[in-house]
Amino acid sequence: MRVIAMMAATSLLVACGGSGGESAGGGSQAELAASACDAFAKNQLGDKTYQLDTAALAKSMTPAADGSMALKSPIVIEPGAASESKQTLECAVRFSPGKKAPDVLKMQFIW
C-alpha cells in the first residue's frame, strides 16, 4: 500500500512540475520547458515586445499522448501599443535523455 501511495505522490509532483522534477541545474522540468518555449517565442517574434507569464506557462505543463509535454498560457504581443494583440501561446516540447533543456517541437499563437 505504501508503494502505491508513493508512486501516486511522485506522479502528482511530476505532473504539477513540483520540486520532485528538479534537475541538477536548479529548475524543474516544467520551468525548463517554459524557458525553452519563451526563448522560441522570442525568436519567432523578432524585435516585437511581449509579455508572457513563464510561471503560468510552467504550471500548465501536461503530458501529451505522443510522449511530449504541452504548455499553454496567455501572451500579449506589443503591450501598450496600438497594435497590442492578446493571444494564447501553445507550445509542445520533448525531453531527451542526456539533454537538460527540452526541444521545442511546435509553437502556435492562437488569436
Side-chain angles (χ1 to χ4, degrees):
M1 187 71 167
R2 281 187 181 166
V3 172
I4 293 171
M6 288 297 290
M7 288 173 52
T10 301
S11 295
L12 182 61
L13 284 175
V14 170
C16 293
S19 60
E22 298 219 355
S23 66
S28 71
Q29 275 197 331
E31 291 167 336
L32 292 170
S35 180
C37 292
D38 183 31
F40 198 87
K42 180 176 247 170
N43 187 40
Q44 293 294 307
L45 294 170
D47 61 350
K48 292 182 181 177
T49 59
Y50 66 94
Q51 291 177 337
L52 176 64
D53 184 348
T54 55
L57 189 62
K59 276 186 171 183
S60 76
M61 189 170 87
T62 56
D66 65 358
S68 65
M69 302 302 261
L71 297 92
K72 183 177 178 178
S73 180
I75 184 170
V76 180
I77 301 169
E78 296 185 328
S83 58
E84 177 178 292
S85 174
K86 293 181 181 181
Q87 301 180 29
T88 299
L89 176 84
E90 292 182 352
C91 183
V93 301
R94 175 168 289 139
F95 287 90
S96 300
K99 281 182 70 179
K100 180 180 175 182
D103 295 314
V104 175
L105 304 175
K106 177 178 75 170
M107 178 172 287
Q108 293 180 300
F109 296 93
I110 310 296
W111 289 69

